[in-house]
Every structure is written in structure tokens, then in C-alpha cells.
Amino acid sequence: MNQNPLSAPVVHETGRDGRRRLEVFASADLAAARGTELFLSAARRAISQGGRFTAALSGGDTPVPLFRRIAEAAPAWGIDWRKVHLFWADERCVPPDHAESNYRLANMLLLSRLPALGAVVHRIPGELPPEEAAELYEAELSAAFGGTPVFDLILLGLGTDGHTASLFPGFEPAGALGRTVVAAHPAGAKHPRVTLTLQVINSGRHVVFFVTGKDKADIIAEVLEGRDKVPYPASLVAPSEGTLTWLLDAEAARRLKTWKPGRPGF
Ligand code: 6PG
């Protein structure tokens, strides 16, 4: 266990068979550097093993430094971006040029900056009515995966209420049985949403939460250490066969009690 978070992450592996991993970094930028390495190495591995890389990007503002770094680092990794399929974990039901569009942010920071590439972009049509957008995106996933989607990598954020993607507290996992994409009308959200279902998220090969900032410290402690009677949506993310990695900066990790460098379990 590296005790010096300034020079390297404080890494903690645990879970039944070590498939859950918590990495804490001194800053959001160092966490973004690690996230970049995870993303690009997953891409390189998936393309060499299976001929393509499928990734679902998270929304919100947290991924800004991560998208920037991936775009900067990409050229040096020699990845054939024509074999990269980029999707979204969720989208707000707004046009793609709307300030709140998850696609717009990723396009501005990543897609438009990658070397002339040809990454295959599977945008959620947020400009359509939510249910229609969800059905179209579900059909696109089915066509892209030839059945149940199994993403190589799913990038997730965490809301202060414990939501992830657009699975907000009170959502009914059973309500989406058999679905891979659903429309969501969360009470606290400004716009209706379209989101991957928990079933799809938990089918991912590598699920990575990227969470930074002091405003997430309480919810991180709740999700990772809380005895929440009613689990938060993010607490339900437990890949059935894949790995789950939490990448945090020290600010987001500062309320963690049982997890401390060098102590087992989290
Ligand atoms: C969205 C996201 C959502 C996000 C969290 C955190 O569309 O809002 O997918 O799940 O990751 O709300 O958002 P911030 O990164 O802006 O705090």
C-alpha cells in the first residue's frame, strides 16, 4: 500500500475477489490522469482482444478534466479510433447543442479534439421525447451489440443524492426489467432523462466511478461505508462479472472512516 498520496494513489483493493478497487488521489487532476490511463489501456486491450472498444461516458461536470486528458493523451497511445464506439450512460432530454447536453460537453472536450479519427459516436437523441429517445437508443444498442449490451468500460459519476447515470433515488430496478435503456423523469432534475438501466451497467466489464470534490464527501461516505437502509442507486452498482473501480480525489474521500490507507476493507 503506497502511503504517500502525493506521489501516487493510495490504492485499496477489496471485495469478494478483489474486483472492487478504490483509488484515492491527492487532486482531481491526478485522479483524471489515472482515469485517462484506465480508459486508454482498456481501449487498447479491448481492440487487441476483440477488435473494438465500447465505452459509455458519464455526464455532468466532473469528467471535464478527464475528457480533456484523454483527448491530450490519445495520440500517443496509437489507438485505431475507427474501432472505438462511444456511447453515453445517460443524457438529458435537450438538443445536442444545449448547455446541459452530456453529448455537447464530451464533443467539445473530447470528440472534437481526438486526432482525425473516426470514433463511432452513438449519441442519445435527447432532442426527441424521452420515451421515443429511449426506444431508439435501445434499438441502437441492440444493433451495436447484437443483443444485451456488454460495455468494455462504463464511466459513471455520482450525484450528491446518490444517483448515478440517471438512476435517481426512488427509481424501480424492477420497472426496467428486460429494458436496456429507459426514460426517466426525476423529480429533482431540470429535464427528463434517458439512461442505461442498472442491468446494463452491472453487465459492464469495467465500471469506473470518477468522483471528485468536497461536495461529494458525504455521499461517498454514505455509499461506500453507510448502512443505508434503502440503498442509493449508486450502491446498487455491482458488476456481476466485471470490475468496479472508484477513482476519488482526497476531497471526495475525506469523510471515509473505515477506509484508511493500510486498513483492509471498504
Ligand atoms: C448526468 C450524469 C449524472 C452525473 C452526476 C454528477 O447526466 O447528470 O450522468 O449521473 O454524473 O449528477 O454530476 P456532476 O459531475 O456535475 O457533479
Side-chain angles (χ1 to χ4, degrees):
M1 170 73 66
N2 182 303
Q3 300 300 327
N4 173 8
L6 289 181
S7 66
V10 179
V11 177
H12 194 72
E13 269 193 289
T14 184
R16 294 180 304 287
D17 48 8
R19 289 189 295 116
R20 288 199 315 160
R21 185 178 171 87
L22 168 64
E23 299 189 17
V24 180
F25 295 80
S27 70
D29 200 44
L30 284 173
R34 173 64 174 140
T36 299
E37 182 195 4
L38 275 179
F39 185 93
L40 294 173
S41 56
R44 184 185 276 169
R45 186 169 52 250
I47 290 170
S48 68
Q49 290 174 358
R52 73 174 187 173
F53 174 57
T54 57
L57 303 178
S58 68
D61 300 326
T62 302
V64 166
L66 176 57
F67 291 163
R68 280 206 178 103
R69 273 186 171 267
I70 293 172
E72 286 160 10
W77 280 67
I79 288 167
D80 181 351
W81 284 86
R82 293 166 303 175
K83 298 177 178 174
V84 173
H85 289 252
L86 295 176
F87 300 79
W88 275 262
D90 69 327
E91 184 56 281
R92 293 84 180 271
C93 290
V94 294
D97 58 354
H98 189 284
E100 307 233 342
S101 163
N102 289 336
Y103 165 82
R104 177 179 172 276
L105 185 70
N107 185 45
M108 198 165 54
L109 299 174
L110 178 58
L111 308 184
S112 60
R113 298 194 179 172
L114 288 177
L117 310 167
V120 184
V121 175
H122 303 267
R123 184 180 66 85
I124 299 176
E127 66 278 14
L128 297 178
E131 280 67 19
E132 184 182 348
E135 280 171 26
L136 282 176
Y137 198 58
E138 192 167 47
E140 178 145 359
L141 290 189
S142 176
F145 288 93
T148 303
V150 178
F151 284 95
D152 293 308
L153 185 135
I154 299 175
L155 183 62
L156 295 174
L158 177 66
T160 53
D161 61 357
H163 82 262
T164 190
S166 283
L167 304 172
F168 282 73
F171 93 100
E172 275 301 319
L177 277 185
R179 297 292 302 273
T180 57
V181 181
V182 291
H185 302 266
K190 272 168 72 178
H191 305 285
R193 305 285 190 98
V194 171
T195 184
L196 295 182
T197 59
L198 187 65
Q199 171 202 347
V200 172
I201 291 171
N202 282 336
S203 300
R205 294 193 177 92
H206 299 288
V207 179
V208 179
F209 276 97
F210 183 72
V211 185
T212 61
K214 57 180 178 297
D215 67 327
K216 302 291 171 73
D218 290 337
I219 191 63
I220 280 287
E222 278 298 302
V223 169
L224 289 185
E225 297 178 336
R227 305 280 173 268
D228 35 303
K229 306 248 179 324
V230 178
Y232 294 101
S235 311
L236 299 176
V237 173
S240 45
E241 293 177 18
T243 62
L244 174 60
T245 301
W246 288 83
L247 295 185
L248 309 179
D249 69 350
E251 285 195 339
R254 64 187 185 144
R255 293 245 191 281
L256 289 176
K257 294 190 183 62
T258 53
W259 174 81
K260 281 285 173 268
R263 280 175 52 181
F266 78 82

